[in-house]
């Protein structure tokens, strides 16, 4: 029998969702202060309204149950699944009021894209968007990249059932004494990286002739977009706006750092130089990611050379490498325009971008997609199966892999990996079929479906303010389920559906 949600469960879920909405309202202070400092008076009013809505909605949700109760695992999973949508719903309010979005649905799309660290945008005239609104867009990506629940855990919220929240948000690895300390490490480490990246990119922006204030903001925003593999940009041309290879190089380093498992950083932090070398050279996920990225890059370059685009070495080396790194880390920053990607790349190069986005980066990182760890484990399982077929019946082979310690490859692990991988592939396929049914070409529809589900943010041009409302909703759902890796959302949906079914009365 499927577990059901009782009436008291819904009250508890609403209470803690209200706490998260109130926290989101408190974070709106950041763009509010920016708007006041930058003398954007009208924009400040939007964030006052947004904070008011957050406080009202949060308070009403908390009133569903006045006193907090001990959370059970299924309640924690439901809160984790719903907070991304509820949070985006509230976060979209000041964006909608900015006048840069055609409808509230477009602003909601932006909120979902921000919190899931995808990078799709439906903003109109983004080049003239206010500094405060841009700050809010990138604040959403920073929160989403680290994990909304991780931020709450680092503050001590949900500490009693932290492991349920942590794993429900698509993370399973933690190496510090407890969940709270692991969440705090993620927050602190990311803050250090963002600070260092901001300084470096600000210096580059100053050399490019951008005025000091804008240089600081652009340095911060680019760092967040790269490290959180989110891909939001303050300009419609993305990184093409800057025409700077040093800036692109720093962004690539940040993208690669964001695509590495946070737990691996924690182990390295606790160890020394020798531990660093060992962890990075022996970890199956790092090896898989390095081999996969190299392979995709080689085939991508070969496919480009077969055509008539990027024939000079400098352009090929610079743009091809950046595009593949952006795709495989699921960042979505572009040094090629959407028109160049869709019309000037060969079909083979276009297909390699789809594959790069589909696999993605590391588990427990800010990247999306199937994840390199799962591909590595599947490869190990295939090799182990071949060995079993060739070995004598009396032989008993065991296979192990290195990932945050030594692990035996069990049938349970392989089954779990194959389940998530299959769910990703099915979602890619379903999204592509719906896109084709809506009248789009097969390859662009597949590209967009993979980009949404893997939270990559690269677009083949389907996602735009003029896109049908149904397609926008489809891609919002794909971004949501892809970010939480399906099981959390499927568990919540089955429990809610089971709750709607009347109970059978047992005859005495």
């Amino acid at each position: 029998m499927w577990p059901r949600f009782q009436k008291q469960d819904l009250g508890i879920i609403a209470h803690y969702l209200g706490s998260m909405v109130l926290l989101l309202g408190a974070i709106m202070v950041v763009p509010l202060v920016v708007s006041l400092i930058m003398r954007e008076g009208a924009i400040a009013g939007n964030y006052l309204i947004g904070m008011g809505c957050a406080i009202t909605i949060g308070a009403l949700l908390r009133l569903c149950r006045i006193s907090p109760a001990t959370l059970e695992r299924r309640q924690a999973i439901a809160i984790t699944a719903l907070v991304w949508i509820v949070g985006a719903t509230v976060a979209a309010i000041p964006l909608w009021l900015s006048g840069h979005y055609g409808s509230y649905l477009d602003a909601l799309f932006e909120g979902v894209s921000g919190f899931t660290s995808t990078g799709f945008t439906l903003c109109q005239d983004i080049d003239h968007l206010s500094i405060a609104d841009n700050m809010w867009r990138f604040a959403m990506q920073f929160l989403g990249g680290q994990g909304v629940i991780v931020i709450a855990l680092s503050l001590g919220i949900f500490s009693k059932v932290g492991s349920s929240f942590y794993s429900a948000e698509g993370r399973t690895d933690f190496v510090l004494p407890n969940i709270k300390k692991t969440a705090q490490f993620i927050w602190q480490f990311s803050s250090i990286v963002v600070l260092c990246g901001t300084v470096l990119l600000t210096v580059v922006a100053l050399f490019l002739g951008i005025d000091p204030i804008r240089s600081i903001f652009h340095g911060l925003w680019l760092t967040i977009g790269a490290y959180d593999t989110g891909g939001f940009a303050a300009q419609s041309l993305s990184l093409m706006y800057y025409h700077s290879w040093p800036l692109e190089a720093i962004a690539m380093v940040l993208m690669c750092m964001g695509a590495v498992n946070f737990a691996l950083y924690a182990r390295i932090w606790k160890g020394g130089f020798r531990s660093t070398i060992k962890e990075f050279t022996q970890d199956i996920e790092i090896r898989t990611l390095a081999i996969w990225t190299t392979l995709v890059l080689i085939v991508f370059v070969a496919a480009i050379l077969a055509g008539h685009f990027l024939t000079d070495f400098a352009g090929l080396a610079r743009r091809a490498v950046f595009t593949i790194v952006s795709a495989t880390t699921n960042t979505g920053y572009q040094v090629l325009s959407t028109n160049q990607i869709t019309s000037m790349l060969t079909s083979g190069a276009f297909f390699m971008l789809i594959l790069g986005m589909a696999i993605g980066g590391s588990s427990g990182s800010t990247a999306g997609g199937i994840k390199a760890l799962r591909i590595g484990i599947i490869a190990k399982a295939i090799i182990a199966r071949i060995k079993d077929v060739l070995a004598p019946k009396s032989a008993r082979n065991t296979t192990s892999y290195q990932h945050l310690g030594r692990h035996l490859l069990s049938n349970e692990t392989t089954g779990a990996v194959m389940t998530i991988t299959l769910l990703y592939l099915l979602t890619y396929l379903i999204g592509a079929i719906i896109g084709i049914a809506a009248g789009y070409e097969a390859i662009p529809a597949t590209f967009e479906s993979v980009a949404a589900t893997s939270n990559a943010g690269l677009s083949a041009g389907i996602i735009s303010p003029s896109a049908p409302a149904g397609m926008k909703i489809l891609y919002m759902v794909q971004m949501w389920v892809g970010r939480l890796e399906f099981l959390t959302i499927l568990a919540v949906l089955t429990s809610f559906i089971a709750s709607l079914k009347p109970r059978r009365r047992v005859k005495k």
Side-chain angles (χ1 to χ4, degrees):
M1 180 180 291
W2 292 103
R4 295 167 174 254
F5 284 115
Q6 307 297 329
K7 185 177 180 180
Q8 60 268 26
D9 293 328
L10 300 180
I12 294 171
I13 291 168
H15 176 90
Y16 284 100
L17 275 177
S19 298
M20 294 301 296
V21 172
L22 290 174
L23 176 61
L24 187 63
I27 297 172
M28 284 189 192
V29 171
V30 175
L32 174 62
V33 171
V34 170
S35 66
L36 293 174
I37 293 174
M38 302 307 297
R39 299 180 181 179
E40 297 172 337
I43 304 301
N46 295 342
Y47 285 96
L48 286 174
I49 294 172
M51 291 174 68
C53 292
I55 293 171
T56 302
I57 295 171
L60 290 174
L61 287 171
R62 284 178 63 87
L63 285 174
C64 293
R65 183 182 177 92
I66 303 299
S67 57
T70 302
L71 281 168
E72 298 178 2
R73 179 175 172 79
R74 70 177 184 276
Q75 296 165 350
I77 291 174
I79 294 167
T80 305
L82 294 174
V83 71
W84 295 79
I85 296 300
V86 174
T89 301
V90 175
I93 294 172
L95 294 178
W96 178 45
L97 294 173
S98 70
H100 283 266
Y101 296 86
S103 64
Y104 177 77
L105 178 63
D106 288 4
L108 176 61
F109 185 97
E110 193 90 355
V112 174
S113 178
F115 278 119
T116 58
S117 296
T118 303
F120 287 142
T121 183
L122 295 181
C123 182
Q124 300 175 3
D125 194 16
I126 194 172
D127 294 329
H128 296 95
L129 191 65
S130 71
I131 293 176
D133 286 330
N134 263 319
M135 180 61 74
W136 183 230
R137 293 170 71 236
F138 285 94
M140 288 191 297
Q141 283 211 326
F142 187 62
L143 292 172
Q146 315 317 304
V148 177
I149 296 298
V150 165
I151 303 300
L153 289 172
S154 67
L155 296 174
I157 306 174
F158 313 134
S159 57
K160 291 185 178 180
V161 286
S163 59
S164 298
F165 281 109
Y166 190 78
S167 58
E169 203 171 50
R171 304 178 190 275
T172 55
D173 302 319
F174 56 94
V175 295
L176 297 180
N178 55 51
I179 288 293
K180 181 179 178 180
K181 289 188 179 295
T182 301
Q184 287 176 341
F185 170 80
I186 292 174
W187 171 261
Q188 292 163 0
F189 180 82
S190 297
S191 298
I192 293 171
V193 173
V194 169
L195 177 61
C196 295
T198 300
V199 172
L200 290 174
L201 290 175
T202 297
V203 172
V204 174
L206 287 170
F207 274 104
L208 293 175
I210 301 174
D211 67 77
I213 297 298
R214 290 186 68 233
S215 292
I216 294 172
F217 280 117
H218 280 240
L220 173 62
W221 296 337
L222 287 171
T223 300
I224 291 174
Y227 174 68
D228 286 293
T229 60
F232 271 162
Q235 304 294 147
S236 58
L237 292 175
S238 190
L239 266 64
M240 293 179 288
Y241 170 80
Y242 303 97
H243 297 289
S244 171
W245 68 263
L247 185 143
E248 294 165 13
I250 295 171
M252 279 195 291
V253 172
L254 291 169
M255 288 188 285
C256 292
M257 290 183 67
V260 174
N261 195 319
F262 284 118
L264 186 57
Y265 285 130
R267 289 178 70 92
I268 292 170
W269 189 277
K270 291 168 60 179
F273 178 76
R274 186 174 298 178
S275 172
T276 302
I277 298 299
K278 180 180 178 181
E279 291 288 352
F280 269 91
T281 56
Q282 296 187 3
D283 190 276
I284 185 175
E285 193 166 37
I286 297 299
R287 286 181 172 182
T288 304
L289 189 58
I291 293 171
W292 173 247
T293 303
T294 303
L295 178 63
V296 171
L297 177 61
I298 291 172
V299 179
F300 182 74
V301 171
I304 289 177
L305 291 175
H308 303 285
F309 180 55
L310 292 179
T311 54
D312 65 292
F313 177 78
L316 182 64
R318 178 175 164 183
R319 296 184 180 181
V321 172
F322 186 95
T323 301
I324 287 300
V325 170
S326 181
T328 55
T329 59
N330 299 124
T331 303
Y333 273 150
Q334 294 179 220
V335 290
L336 296 173
S337 68
T338 300
N339 181 61
Q340 288 174 324
I341 291 175
T342 55
S343 63
M344 302 188 75
L345 290 182
T346 63
S347 58
F350 198 72
F351 180 70
M352 293 312 297
L353 281 181
I354 295 176
L355 285 182
M357 293 188 299
I359 302 303
S362 299
S363 60
S365 70
T366 64
I370 294 171
K371 305 294 189 305
L373 176 61
R374 295 190 178 103
I375 300 302
I377 290 176
I378 291 172
K380 278 272 188 181
I382 292 173
I383 294 171
R385 183 58 181 161
I386 294 173
K387 287 182 178 179
D388 289 340
V389 171
L390 296 176
K393 291 185 178 180
S394 58
R396 187 175 181 181
N397 296 319
T398 59
T399 303
S400 63
Y401 63 93
Q402 177 73 29
H403 177 65
L404 304 174
R406 204 72 188 169
H407 305 276
L408 286 176
L409 183 62
S410 64
N411 291 332
E412 182 181 358
T413 300
T414 305
V417 165
M418 291 299 296
T419 299
I420 299 297
T421 302
L422 180 60
L423 286 171
Y424 267 108
L425 295 176
L426 282 174
T427 309
Y428 294 155
L429 179 62
I430 291 170
I433 291 173
I434 293 175
I436 294 168
Y440 296 101
E441 294 293 329
I443 294 181
T446 303
F447 189 98
E448 221 80 343
S449 176
V450 172
T453 309
S454 64
N455 307 123
L458 289 172
S459 176
I462 295 177
I463 294 177
S464 67
S466 60
M471 296 304 295
K472 294 174 184 177
I473 294 171
L474 167 68
Y475 293 134
M476 279 196 287
V477 172
Q478 286 188 288
M479 289 188 282
W480 180 42
V481 298
R483 179 63 178 82
L484 294 178
E485 297 191 339
F486 305 101
L487 293 184
T488 295
I489 294 171
L490 291 176
V492 172
L493 289 177
T494 52
S495 295
F496 272 118
I497 292 171
S499 303
L500 297 175
K501 186 178 180 181
R503 290 182 180 274
R504 291 183 179 179
R505 293 184 178 181
V506 180
K507 294 182 180 180
K508 294 184 179 180

